[in-house]
Amino acid sequence: MTPEPTAASPADNATSSAQNTAQSTAPAAAPNTTAAPTGVVRRATVEDAAEAAWLAALTFPLACPPQASRSEMATHIAEKLTPAQFRAWAASDEHALLVYDDGTQLLGYALLVLGSPAGAAEADAVRAASGRDAPYVELSKIYVQPDAQGGGVAGDLMRAASDTAAELGAGLPFWLATNEQNLRAQAFYRKSGFEVVGKRTYVVGGLAHDDVVLLRNR
């Protein structure tokens, strides 16, 4: 799987890169002062795939670095964030796809992955910092719809993701990566207990970008 920034672009779109993409989960937009939305975080089903893919297409560009072109982002979305891919994640035992559902629409989502990091740089960083070999649990993506940012959705998703990480792999290190220019996302992740342990390179639309790798030992 190609690394992807976890979407934390608004760490209320956080994560990560989202989130963090070329994968991970994700905060960078101006805060929204509207009332906090009321909803629940739940496991996604295959029936959520189309709406989750729409949400991914809307939020993924928020976590990308400024130099990423629209064509690069569009190519990545078309190839990596399809309804079929979301259906596969929802049905997989090695993934946990979470959605924030306000009863009328999905306001955010997070994706967790159990396994080995896709790239050598992040694998080495997590291994050195955690003192153990894979598997680990990755917060691959965490994104919030722009209109819902600043209302606590990201915090609710992160808390649910932390609980779900323990279910996916009890006691395993919990890690993510986000674009190194996304300082708002990094602040959100640090507040959530993650620390920077290394760097990696990810590819969006054929161009390489730099991530920081963060880890939370549980």
Side-chain angles (χ1 to χ4, degrees):
M1 180 170 68
T2 304
E4 173 173 321
T6 63
S9 192
D12 250 79
N13 219 18
T15 276
S16 231
S17 33
Q19 68 286 38
N20 188 83
T21 316
Q23 282 286 109
S24 175
T25 98
N32 189 317
T33 57
T34 56
T38 301
V40 297
V41 180
R42 60 173 175 81
R43 284 285 190 116
T45 68
V46 293
E47 286 75 23
D48 295 310
E51 186 175 359
W54 172 85
L55 183 58
L58 175 68
T59 56
F60 171 71
L62 299 174
C64 291
Q67 63 268 33
S69 71
R70 291 184 180 181
S71 62
E72 293 164 32
M73 292 184 285
T75 297
H76 183 82
I77 290 166
E79 294 178 349
K80 305 291 185 181
L81 299 174
T82 64
Q85 182 63 77
F86 278 90
R87 282 194 296 272
W89 287 329
S92 169
D93 291 336
E94 295 181 346
H95 296 78
L97 180 61
L98 306 176
V99 293
Y100 187 104
D101 187 346
D102 76 349
T104 61
Q105 63 178 323
L106 303 183
L107 297 182
Y109 78 97
L111 177 69
L112 291 83
V113 183
L114 173 64
S116 301
E122 56 264 43
D124 290 345
V126 176
R127 184 186 305 110
S130 68
R132 62 170 295 162
D133 291 329
Y136 314 117
V137 179
E138 177 190 3
L139 180 59
S140 175
K141 303 175 185 25
I142 177 169
Y143 292 86
V144 173
Q145 191 178 129
D147 290 345
Q149 292 169 20
V153 174
D156 286 351
L157 277 169
M158 179 60 81
R159 284 185 286 274
S162 297
D163 292 342
T164 303
E167 296 170 7
L168 265 185
L172 296 182
F174 189 28
W175 75 280
L176 61 89
T178 192
N179 187 266
E180 69 175 1
Q181 298 179 49
N182 196 338
L183 300 182
R184 184 178 175 191
Q186 293 175 49
F188 174 79
Y189 294 135
R190 287 191 179 95
K191 185 177 179 180
S192 300
F194 290 87
E195 296 181 353
V196 174
V197 296
K199 293 186 176 183
R200 75 170 185 191
T201 299
Y202 68 91
V203 177
V204 177
L207 292 182
H209 303 278
D210 295 321
D211 267 354
V212 290
V213 177
L214 298 95
L215 173 70
R216 190 175 81 187
N217 282 305
R218 295 182 288 111

